[in-house]
Amino acid sequence: MPHSRLVLNVDDTEAARYAKTRTLQRAGYEVIEAETGAAALKLVAERQPGVVVLDVKLPDISGIEVCKRIKHDFPGVLVLQISAAFVASKDRVQGLESGADVYMTQPSDSAELTATVHALYRLREAELELRRVNESLEQRVAERTAELARMNEALRREMQERMRAEAALVQSQKMEAVGQLTGGIAHDFNNLLAAIVGGLNLIERRTREPQVIEITTHALNAAKRGVKLISQLLAFSRTQDLDAHAVDANELIEGMQSLLRQSIGPSVSIATDLMPGAAVVMVDPTQLELAIVNLVINARDALGGSGHITLRTQPDPHHAGGFIDVSVIDDGPGMSEAVKAKAFDPFFTTKPPGQGTGLGLSQVYGMARQLGGEATIESAVGQGTTVRIMLPVAHTPADRPAPDVQVEQRGRNETVLLVEDDVDLRSILTDMLRELGYGVLVASDGAEALTLAGRHAFDLALLDFAMPGMTGAETARELKRLHPRLPILFASGHANTQELAGIGSASKLLRKPFETAELARRLREELGRPLPAS
């Protein structure tokens, strides 16, 4: 970089050189001298003065040529060409075209020389400032460009995250809407199936004809398949009341191995990878078993008859200590993104017509969400599939199933107040109760039930939970006000036990649809126990 106050004075005439040096020194400049063009070029290279006062006529190299070389090698050095011999207009033009910044003729007075050098330095400072501004501007532009690039990348990531969140929200809302729809449909179908199952049970009990019994058995089996489908719909819609309690998922999986091996056949292998110790979770064991069976059968079908399935339990990596994952893993062909996005939708299936209902994964999704957990799918084409059910950890020891106790199934001259709004089901339940040896008071709604309760004695109330007008819960509260110790048994397809908790300890739930034997057992359980002290 050129020296800020250094001037090179180049002149082969000693007197002229001395006069210019003294003038510039008095003006505050540091001055170095050269008598020849070669010496001038050497000093410029070594010291890089800010200004060169250059005589045109030199003994070795023309001042015009020296100027050209200086400007070529050191464009930041300013050149003041000065001459006593070449003073014509064409000489000025030649000097300026060689690169000189100013051309002066001698003799010139000291004030003009000083002012000219001052002007050159101001020019030089202006150029340096402009260069600094340009460099600073380039740096600021580069920094701003980098900042904008970072902001753009952050915005792009935010937009992607927002799109994922919006897609998840739309999917959640869609699932919620479909869940509400399927819940309502499932409840209505439960009433239909309850009437069908009850009617078939009565036919079985009243006939001795083998052909009729065979037809009834087939019809009951079909109805039970319908019950399973409705159970899956209710699990998906989260309107089915789960009987959740502490269950060791490891023990449950180990206990299912024989059933699962029979379900998948000999060409598909199944293994377990269970977390050490117990994997105690809060879950409805029946629903968890159903979920595992559904997932294993789906995996078997995806494998196409050959492959490997693994059942795994492990702490959920994203919720340390709070949840345990139960996973079904296969090494099959995997799912595309499009299939994976719809896999939990009810009635969606990739199986041929007649080979799948599309409710298996929906049941898994609904059960997990209802328990406060989550169900997820990890899959890619050619990389197999993992379906993960995240279940809440139970903080109590796993429950052990109680031994089955045989009870008397027949009534003992008790009377049941039956409240059911569905005409067909009400008729079937009346016949079932009488078949079991109970007297029956029949009401079509809550208001009629309360009228009968004020006029007649009875031992137990069997109530539909979801009724128009006065609901089963409201009817039960009024009955408990009239008869505080009255046992109440609710018959419903999707009642919420939290509502039952506020009605009284004698209120229990019988899930629709049910068979005659289940009704008989539950009635004896409620009527056979001692009444609480009043």
Side-chain angles (χ1 to χ4, degrees):
M1 179 179 290
H3 198 282
S4 61
R5 300 290 292 177
L6 181 63
V7 177
L8 171 60
N9 182 14
V10 185
D11 199 322
D12 62 331
T13 303
E14 184 175 357
R17 187 174 68 249
Y18 173 79
K20 287 181 286 187
T21 296
R22 291 290 294 165
T23 297
L24 292 171
Q25 286 177 335
R26 289 192 188 101
Y29 293 100
E30 179 185 354
V31 182
I32 56 177
E33 297 180 340
E35 298 179 17
T36 64
L41 292 173
K42 185 173 183 296
L43 283 173
V44 169
E46 292 175 351
R47 302 290 299 276
Q48 292 190 38
V51 173
V52 175
V53 179
L54 177 63
D55 188 16
V56 175
K57 186 178 180 180
L58 295 173
D60 56 344
I61 306 173
S62 164
I64 299 296
E65 181 64 24
V66 171
C67 180
K68 288 180 179 179
R69 294 186 188 181
I70 291 174
K71 284 298 185 178
H72 179 273
D73 296 337
F74 304 97
V77 175
L78 301 178
V79 176
L80 167 57
Q81 279 197 352
I82 192 165
S83 178
F86 303 101
V87 295
S89 176
K90 65 180 181 60
D91 298 321
R92 286 177 178 275
V93 171
Q94 184 181 16
L96 293 172
E97 287 182 347
S98 69
D101 297 285
V102 180
Y103 193 98
M104 290 180 61
T105 60
Q106 294 190 104
S108 59
D109 63 28
S110 59
E112 183 182 2
L113 175 63
T114 302
T116 302
V117 172
H118 283 338
L120 286 174
Y121 265 105
R122 286 196 300 271
L123 177 62
R124 179 175 171 278
E125 289 299 324
E127 289 180 348
L128 291 175
E129 181 61 26
L130 180 60
R131 188 176 294 113
R132 286 193 294 268
V133 169
N134 287 338
E135 291 175 353
S136 174
L137 179 60
E138 290 176 359
Q139 182 179 358
R140 290 201 301 272
V141 168
E143 291 174 352
R144 183 58 177 165
T145 301
E147 182 182 358
L148 289 174
R150 289 192 298 270
M151 293 173 62
N152 185 57
E153 177 63 21
L155 181 60
R156 187 185 65 81
R157 289 196 300 268
E158 183 179 339
M159 289 177 63
Q160 289 179 339
E161 186 63 31
R162 182 173 180 176
M163 290 173 62
R164 284 193 292 268
E166 287 177 350
L169 177 61
V170 169
Q171 177 71 2
S172 176
Q173 290 173 338
K174 180 183 72 173
M175 299 288 270
E176 191 69 29
V178 175
Q180 292 175 359
L181 175 63
T182 55
I185 294 173
H187 176 254
D188 290 340
F189 267 93
N190 258 336
N191 277 343
L192 296 175
L193 284 172
I196 293 169
V197 171
L200 291 171
N201 279 163
L202 288 176
I203 293 172
E204 273 191 327
R205 294 172 68 91
R206 293 177 180 180
T207 188
R208 294 293 181 268
E209 291 291 334
Q211 290 182 336
V212 174
I213 293 174
E214 182 181 359
I215 293 171
T216 303
T217 300
H218 290 314
L220 269 174
N221 289 336
K224 288 175 181 177
R225 288 197 296 274
V227 171
K228 178 181 177 182
L229 292 178
I230 295 301
S231 175
Q232 290 174 329
L233 279 173
L234 289 172
F236 166 74
S237 66
R238 289 181 282 166
T239 57
Q240 177 169 268
D241 193 25
L242 298 180
D243 182 20
H245 51 271
V247 175
D248 189 334
N250 287 351
E251 289 186 3
L252 182 141
I253 291 171
E254 290 286 8
M256 295 178 66
Q257 290 305 297
S258 176
L259 169 65
L260 295 176
R261 286 190 171 90
Q262 291 175 4
S263 301
I264 63 175
S267 60
V268 176
S269 65
I270 187 167
T272 58
D273 178 15
L274 306 180
M275 60 184 288
V280 183
V281 292
M282 287 298 294
V283 71
D284 184 328
T286 302
Q287 290 296 320
L288 181 56
E289 287 179 351
L290 179 60
I292 292 173
V293 169
N294 283 330
L295 294 177
V296 168
I297 290 175
N298 281 351
R300 177 204 65 189
D301 294 342
L303 290 169
S306 177
H308 187 76
I309 299 172
T310 301
L311 302 180
R312 176 179 296 162
T313 59
Q314 63 181 10
D316 185 83
H318 305 296
H319 302 82
F323 291 87
I324 288 175
D325 291 341
V326 177
S327 305
V328 177
I329 306 162
D330 69 67
D331 56 1
M335 300 181 187
S336 67
E337 288 298 321
V339 170
K340 189 166 64 172
K342 296 181 179 180
F344 286 127
D345 289 5
F347 308 113
F348 175 79
T349 179
T350 57
K351 297 176 183 178
Q355 296 187 23
T357 63
L359 289 173
L361 284 175
S362 299
Q363 178 263 336
V364 173
Y365 175 88
M367 177 197 70
R369 293 292 299 274
Q370 193 170 353
L371 291 168
E374 189 60 85
T376 58
I377 297 176
E378 298 170 10
S379 184
V381 175
Q383 298 181 25
T385 299
T386 297
V387 181
R388 193 186 312 276
I389 311 172
M390 188 180 78
L391 298 172
V393 170
H395 299 290
T396 57
D399 294 341
R400 304 299 176 193
D404 187 22
V405 179
Q406 296 296 323
V407 296
E408 173 61 46
Q409 301 297 305
R410 302 282 303 169
R412 302 173 186 174
N413 298 319
E414 296 99 341
T415 298
V416 175
L417 173 61
L418 171 63
V419 189
E420 171 61 59
D421 67 299
D422 186 278
V423 176
D424 294 329
L425 182 55
R426 185 167 67 243
S427 176
I428 292 293
L429 287 175
T430 299
D431 286 346
M432 290 172 68
L433 289 168
R434 288 174 178 161
E435 183 79 16
L436 291 171
Y438 293 95
V440 187
L441 297 173
V442 182
S444 61
D445 55 34
E448 186 178 359
L450 294 177
T451 299
L452 290 174
R455 297 176 180 175
H456 303 280
F458 57 97
D459 302 284
L460 178 143
L462 178 59
L463 303 178
D464 183 19
F465 197 88
M467 294 187 297
M470 183 179 291
T471 66
E474 292 168 343
T475 303
R477 291 190 183 93
E478 290 300 312
L479 289 174
K480 295 292 286 185
R481 186 177 60 80
L482 296 173
H483 306 285
R485 299 193 299 168
L486 176 69
I488 295 177
L489 186 60
F490 285 102
S492 179
H494 66 169
N496 185 335
T497 55
Q498 293 181 351
E499 295 182 69
L500 302 184
I503 298 170
S505 60
S507 301
K508 297 294 184 295
L509 178 65
L510 175 63
R511 296 188 184 281
K512 294 178 183 176
F514 47 81
E515 297 188 42
T516 305
E518 174 68 8
L519 174 62
R521 182 179 67 81
R522 294 299 302 276
L523 289 172
R524 290 318 319 158
E525 285 180 358
E526 300 308 314
L527 290 169
R529 65 183 55 177
L531 294 175
S534 57

